[in-house]
Every structure is written in structure tokens, then in C-alpha cells.
Amino acid sequence: MDSSVFEKASPTKLFFRCAVPSMISMAVGSLYSIADGVFVGRFIGEGALAAVNLVMPLIMILFALSNMIATGASVRISMLLGQKDRDGACLTFTFSVKVIAAISIVLGIAGFAFAEPIVRLLGRGASAEAIRYGVEYLKVHAVFMPLLPLCFATDNFLRVCGKEKLSMALTVSSQLSNILLDVILIGILRQGIWAAAFTSCVSMALVSVITLLLFAGKKFDLYYVKGFMPPRQFLKIAFNGSSEFFGNIANSIMSLVLNFFLLHYGGTTAVAAMSVVMYADGIIGMLIFGMCDALQPAISYCYGAKQIKKVKAIERRVLGAAALLSLAALLFMRYAGRFVAPLFVKTEDIALFDMSLTAMRLFSLSYLFGWVDMCLSSYFTALEKPTLSLFLSFAGTLVFPIGCLTLMSPVWGMTGVWLMPAVSGFLSAVTALLLYLRIRNREYPDQTA
């Protein structure tokens, strides 16, 4: 079994084996996201850039439900494999894929049917052009929705099987093809916002088809089997993934709330400036997320195999790497903004350029603390402690940010909006560390790593 490497390899070897392929995939994905932003911002314009920022939170909400199931299932599958229960692992895998597929079909139909009223509701105060682009962007995603969530789910399951390099190869190939399609459709043929959505969707859909076929037969630790999972057991799995689900939902809701404040204090230009910040921030955010996500199967497997010292050793390496990445990101965002912003902003959009620079400098402070709760929330999920992870997600992604926005923006205006991630990140980090100490001191007082 390829997954048995989680038990045999040392913590350091496991860290590099799991984290490096995932981080390469995330780095390429971030570069694609930046390239996509360049094409949207430079070839289509500010209205399209704002439209993507308005609609993307909703799209991420649609992905979040299936990701909840995939995350919870991956943790349970890893523990079952650690306990040598392969039949139970395959049943959990098969049933989860079926449920995700069914949910995706329903979401796709609803998204296409109600695209225009949804975008108009989300974009109150935005320009008519941004609304029109947003409707077009959402409808393309709705058409492909039956396959899109499966792309993320099956990628999780590949890594559970110890197929990190295969996962990386598929992801990198998808993102590179995405960039190539952007060059052709937007850069050369000068197509509109529909092309930006189409290139993303068709690349992910192709990966979904390939990975679904790879699990046919018995080539991997996981494969399709017949059987039915009791609802109570499946709900337990879904609940364990609820922190990631709520985290995704809360992030999307927070983005919608943030857009409201941006439109109120800075108009469409402020929304577009936040898009520039998010494209730049996506690199480090995705690297840390990819690292944490990649180590979840190893932590869960070792936890299921009762190797507590190894669990803690792996997590220490995750935290240390996240801290170093965040420090590098802080310096980059703070001092390289004048080189990054022109990639997304047309030369004549001076107001957008200036606002983007200010936003990047202030937003950079969030890297001081923002990595802590991301790492520890993933850790709690890997240990099947959904209550702690859910509480941390609720506080860190919704309560603290909205509270900071409400208190800071009326006093400091846009400066308060840009500083909100740093202040809320500090509060989240303190909360996460207190929960982590509770786990370490109360549950494993006799374990040292």
C-alpha cells in the first residue's frame, strides 16, 4: 500500500514528500491565477476585474459544500487505512464521490437559472458593466459545475493514496493548459470575460474526468465498491469537514461583506484594488494551504496508528515552514507592490494603481499572524476534532474580521478596511494557540516529541 509510507517514513521525510508536490501545484496554480488576473485586468478592464471579485466568493461557496465532504472523508479514510481497514476506506471513498456528484449537479442547475438576480444582489453599487460581466462569468461556471467540485475532491483522495507526484502532475498540467487557453482566447482572439471563466472550467473538468477514471479498478489503495453508508456515519464524516466548509463559506461571506465596505468607502475602484491584492496574496495563501492540506493524510494516518509523537513532530514542521513563508510574503507585498500592480492595472488607471499600492502595503501586515490559525485549524481537522476547528474557523474567518471592519472603517475609512486582516489575524492567532495548548496539555500530557 502506498499509504503505508505515512507510518514508515520519518517526520522530516514525510513533510517534504507530502508538502513539496502540493506546494509546487499551488505555486503553479497561483501563477495561473496571477496570469488570469493579468489577462482580465489588462485586456478586458477594471469592470471585469471587479466582476471576478464580486462573483468568486459565491463560486467558492458552491465548492465549499463538496469540499466539506471530501475533507471529512479524507481524514476518515486515512485513519481507516492506518487501522488497516481498507474495505471501510473504499466504501467511504465511493459513497463520498457519489454524494459530491449529486450535489454538484443541483448547484449547477440553480446557478445557471438564477445567475442574474444573484449577481445584481451581490453587486449593489457596482457599475452596470461589472454586473453584466459577473452574470456572464457565473453562468459559464454553472455549466461546468457538475464536474468542478470533483476536481478538488479526487485530488484529496489521490494524496490519501500516497500519490502526491501524480496529483502534482495533473494539477500543474491543468494550470499550464489554462494559461495557454488564456493566451489564445483572451490575449490573441480578444474574447471577453466568458473566456476567462471557460479556460478555468474546462481545465478543471478535464482533471475530474481523468481522476475519476484512475480510481476504476484496484490500482490504488482506494477504488470503487458497492455498498451503502448509514446516514449517521456519513453525517459524522461531513461534520468533521465542517470547519473547512465553514471556513470556505465564512471566507466567501466575508468577501461579500468586505465588498460592501469597499463599495461604500471606495467604489468600484476599491473592489478592483482588492482584486489586485488578492491575486498577489494568493501565492503565499495557497502555498500554506497546500502544505497544511497535503500533511493532513499523514497526520490522520499516524493518529489512527497511535503514533502521537510523530503527529506532533509533523505539525511542528508545518508551523515552522508557514512562519518562514509568511515572513517572505510580508517583505514581498510591502516592498514589491510597485512592480506587481502594473501587471493587473492599465497604465491610464492611475487612481486604481495608487489605491492598489496603499492596499498592498497595509495588507502585508496580516502575514505576521495570519498563518497560525490556518495551520492549527487544519491540524484539528486531521485529528477529527471538528468542534475546535469549527470554532476557530468561525472566530477567525467571520467574527473577528467583521468586528474589526465594523469598528475600524467608520474611524479610518479605507485605511481601516486595509488594516482589518492584520488585526483580526492577531486575534485569530491568539485563539488558535490557546486551543492548541489545550490539546497538548490535556489530551497528551505524557507524550513528548
Side-chain angles (χ1 to χ4, degrees), residues 53-67:
N53 201 38
L54 288 172
V55 174
M56 190 53 67
L58 177 63
I59 294 174
M60 297 311 297
I61 288 176
L62 300 181
F63 289 161
L65 186 58
S66 61
N67 190 54

Side-chain angles (χ1 to χ4, degrees), residues 304-324:
K306 307 300 182 183
Q307 296 184 353
I308 304 303
K309 291 182 180 180
K310 195 170 184 178
V311 166
K312 295 165 69 176
I314 294 171
E315 184 60 18
R316 284 202 307 272
R317 286 155 177 77
V318 171
L319 291 168
L324 291 175

Side-chain angles (χ1 to χ4, degrees), residues 188-432:
I188 298 176
L189 300 180
R190 301 299 176 119
Q191 295 298 303
I193 192 70
W194 74 268
F198 176 81
T199 58
S200 300
C201 292
V202 73
S203 299
M204 287 191 290
L206 182 60
V207 170
S208 295
V209 172
I210 292 173
T211 49
L212 287 172
L213 292 175
L214 285 174
F215 283 109
K218 297 185 178 181
K219 300 182 290 293
F220 299 157
D221 288 346
L222 299 176
Y223 47 85
Y224 304 117
V225 296
K226 295 181 179 180
F228 180 79
M229 180 174 291
R232 184 175 180 179
Q233 185 178 347
F234 184 77
L235 288 175
K236 183 179 179 181
I237 289 172
F239 181 62
N240 189 47
S242 63
S243 61
E244 271 62 28
F245 167 72
F246 186 83
N248 289 327
I249 291 290
N251 277 324
S252 298
I253 293 174
M254 190 60 230
S255 295
L256 298 176
V257 173
L258 182 58
N259 284 337
F260 170 80
F261 280 86
L262 291 168
L263 289 169
H264 179 75
Y265 288 101
T268 302
T269 301
V271 177
M274 180 54 78
S275 294
V276 175
V277 173
M278 289 297 100
Y279 280 123
D281 172 67
I283 299 176
I284 188 64
M286 293 303 289
L287 285 176
I288 295 177
F289 172 79
M291 177 179 63
C292 295
D293 196 46
L295 268 300
Q296 267 191 359
I299 291 173
S300 298
Y301 187 104
C302 293
Y303 186 71
K306 307 300 182 183
Q307 296 184 353
I308 304 303
K309 291 182 180 180
K310 195 170 184 178
V311 166
K312 295 165 69 176
I314 294 171
E315 184 60 18
R316 284 202 307 272
R317 286 155 177 77
V318 171
L319 291 168
L324 291 175
L325 286 171
S326 296
L327 177 60
L330 186 154
L331 297 174
F332 175 81
M333 184 77 84
R334 192 164 185 83
Y335 298 108
R338 64 183 183 276
F339 304 110
V340 175
L343 296 175
F344 307 96
V345 180
K346 292 182 178 179
T347 307
E348 60 270 22
D349 292 335
I350 298 176
L352 176 57
F353 179 80
D354 290 341
M355 185 176 288
S356 298
L357 286 185
T358 300
M360 292 176 75
R361 283 195 297 268
L362 296 176
F363 184 90
S364 68
L365 297 175
S366 66
Y367 293 118
L368 290 171
F369 313 106
W371 55 275
V372 178
D373 69 331
M374 185 184 300
C375 293
L376 293 183
S377 178
S378 176
Y379 179 68
F380 297 148
T381 297
L383 301 186
E384 277 198 319
K385 299 188 181 301
T387 303
L388 294 180
S389 188
L390 183 60
F391 174 79
L392 185 57
S393 292
F394 179 75
T397 58
L398 207 58
V399 175
F400 293 146
I402 290 180
C404 290
L405 269 180
T406 303
L407 294 174
M408 295 166 62
S409 58
V411 179
W412 295 309
M414 285 304 303
T415 299
V417 175
W418 302 135
L419 284 174
M420 175 274 294
V423 179
S424 63
F426 170 75
L427 297 174
S428 299
V430 172
T431 304

Side-chain angles (χ1 to χ4, degrees), residues 11-25:
T12 300
K13 184 177 180 179
L14 270 180
F15 176 82
F16 285 105
R17 176 189 170 102
C18 297
V20 172
S22 179
M23 292 173 73
I24 292 174
S25 299

